[in-house]
Amino acid sequence: MPERVYRDPVHGAISFDWAREKYIIELIDTPEFQRLRRIRQLGAAMLVFQGAEHSRLTHSIGVAHLAKRLFDRISSDANFPKDTDNEEIRRAVIAGALLHDIGHGPFSHLFERVFAARDHERWGLEIISDAETAVYEVLKRHGLTDSVRKVFEKTFKPRFALDVISSQLDADRLDYLLRDSYMTGVAYGNYDLDWLIEVVELARIPTNGRDLGLTINRHKFHGAEQFVIGRYLMYQQVYFHKTIRSAERLIKLIFEKLVDLFRDGNTPHFCPEPLLSLLDSGGSKLSVKGYLQLDDQFMCTCFG
């Protein structure tokens, strides 16, 4: 089998080559990554937009796909450093893109507004660094532990490789805008993805004049304008929708009430061990193994 193909509603056929990208396929198959199936991308948005049931897993595979497209585009740029190990950087970028959300907890960003001891990026770093996880084993087997850790710590070099994963025009934003627009039925987030990738270039960053970063060809910036306007409108119409914000507020109040009960010694009877550890000091004493048991279904079952 030369490649594995994932049928995606946004990008169509997403393929990873068994010879060149086996590490991505193996990472997708790990229990830690598959857990993202049980965490919704948009938290409580499905209460308003009934189609918004998509998961962090589908988004993460889309991000890896776009990171590959972006990197392959800039690797042919005239400014791409000739003395760099193209393949090693490419591997770290695609793996980092795939795993960028692996540390998310239940209800996505809403979760860490209450349990703030460690945000999702810190949890992600701990998951990929824990020798007991399957993700760590795959990264180690393919010689990617150090490079992906540096991606999470934002110390990976060269700088433009990090821009592919985290910047104003990164693979994460490129995917979630199209995906959230499609799944919610709100068309404002549509933009010309193919053209936007086509006009991405490498250029010196003005702040120091040395590092290379992602930029848009100044004569072909209209695709980027469409992207920025679409993102603005999606925040207005979806991400900051008043009913979604109200629902998130109620869920946050439930979490906060649970914390208060725990502090007063009135722990509810429906709290299994991972949740008890989470309530203790905002999750600072929760192990990686315990954290990985937490997802949307787990929390809804506890509160049901």
Side-chain angles (χ1 to χ4, degrees), residues 66-294:
L66 292 184
K68 182 169 73 168
R69 289 188 62 185
L70 276 172
F71 187 84
D72 290 347
R73 169 70 186 91
I74 61 176
S75 64
S76 63
D77 189 278
N79 289 323
F80 191 89
K82 306 304 180 185
D83 58 346
T84 58
D85 189 334
N86 186 322
E87 189 62 25
E88 284 307 302
I89 297 173
R90 184 181 188 272
R91 280 160 30 93
V93 166
I94 301 174
L98 181 76
L99 300 175
H100 80 287
D101 272 352
I102 200 166
H104 265 292
F107 304 104
S108 294
H109 292 285
L110 174 61
F111 180 82
E112 56 197 61
R113 293 177 198 162
V114 178
F115 305 107
R118 283 172 277 187
D119 62 18
H120 72 277
E121 293 183 344
R122 180 63 193 179
W123 276 116
L125 180 60
E126 295 195 16
I127 290 168
I128 68 168
S129 303
D130 191 320
E132 295 186 3
T133 64
V135 164
Y136 174 87
E137 180 59 34
V138 173
L139 293 175
K140 181 180 179 181
R141 185 163 60 250
H142 291 277
L144 286 164
T145 49
D146 290 339
S147 57
V148 174
R149 185 181 297 115
K150 289 178 181 177
V151 168
F152 270 78
E153 294 171 345
K154 294 181 171 58
T155 59
F156 187 79
K157 299 294 182 180
R159 155 69 187 272
F160 63 80
L162 289 178
D163 282 356
V164 172
I165 305 172
S166 179
S167 67
Q168 292 299 313
L169 194 66
D170 58 32
D172 179 26
R173 297 184 185 195
L174 292 179
D175 181 82
Y176 80 62
L177 192 60
L178 287 177
R179 191 170 303 277
D180 295 348
S181 178
Y182 178 84
M183 299 304 292
T184 58
V186 178
Y188 294 122
N190 289 326
Y191 64 92
D192 192 341
L193 172 65
D194 292 339
W195 182 247
L196 194 54
I197 291 178
E198 180 65 27
V199 299
V200 169
E201 297 180 346
L202 288 177
R204 300 291 173 185
I205 299 173
T207 52
N208 59 33
R210 296 188 307 273
D211 292 334
L212 291 168
L214 296 190
T215 187
I216 297 293
N217 185 305
R218 64 190 181 92
H219 299 297
K220 305 173 183 178
F221 59 85
H222 301 94
E225 284 186 328
Q226 184 187 28
F227 169 78
V228 171
I229 293 171
R231 187 164 177 261
Y232 168 75
L233 292 173
M234 283 294 287
Y235 268 92
Q236 278 196 329
Q237 298 297 317
V238 178
Y239 306 134
F240 289 161
H241 191 286
K242 60 180 176 28
T243 308
I244 295 174
R245 302 290 279 183
S246 298
E248 290 176 343
R249 177 60 179 163
L250 289 175
I251 296 171
K252 185 173 182 285
L253 287 172
I254 292 172
F255 284 161
E256 291 173 345
K257 180 62 176 178
L258 197 59
V259 172
D260 290 341
L261 289 172
F262 180 84
R263 288 174 179 170
D264 294 339
N266 299 317
T267 305
H269 69 280
F270 54 77
C271 283
E273 176 52 36
L275 191 53
L276 288 175
S277 297
L278 177 67
L279 296 174
D280 189 0
S281 302
S284 60
K285 298 180 181 179
L286 182 62
S287 67
V288 169
K289 182 179 179 180
Y291 183 76
L292 287 170
Q293 296 180 53
L294 304 177

Side-chain angles (χ1 to χ4, degrees), residues 3-18 21 24-25 28 33 57-69 94 98 175 179 193:
E3 61 185 13
R4 179 182 287 184
V5 179
Y6 300 86
R7 298 288 293 270
D8 188 81
V10 176
H11 304 299
I14 294 177
S15 63
F16 296 105
D17 184 81
W18 272 103
E21 296 153 353
I24 290 295
I25 299 170
I28 290 173
F33 188 81
L57 181 141
T58 59
H59 163 63
S60 296
I61 294 176
V63 174
H65 168 68
L66 292 184
K68 182 169 73 168
R69 289 188 62 185
I94 301 174
L98 181 76
D175 181 82
R179 191 170 303 277
L193 172 65

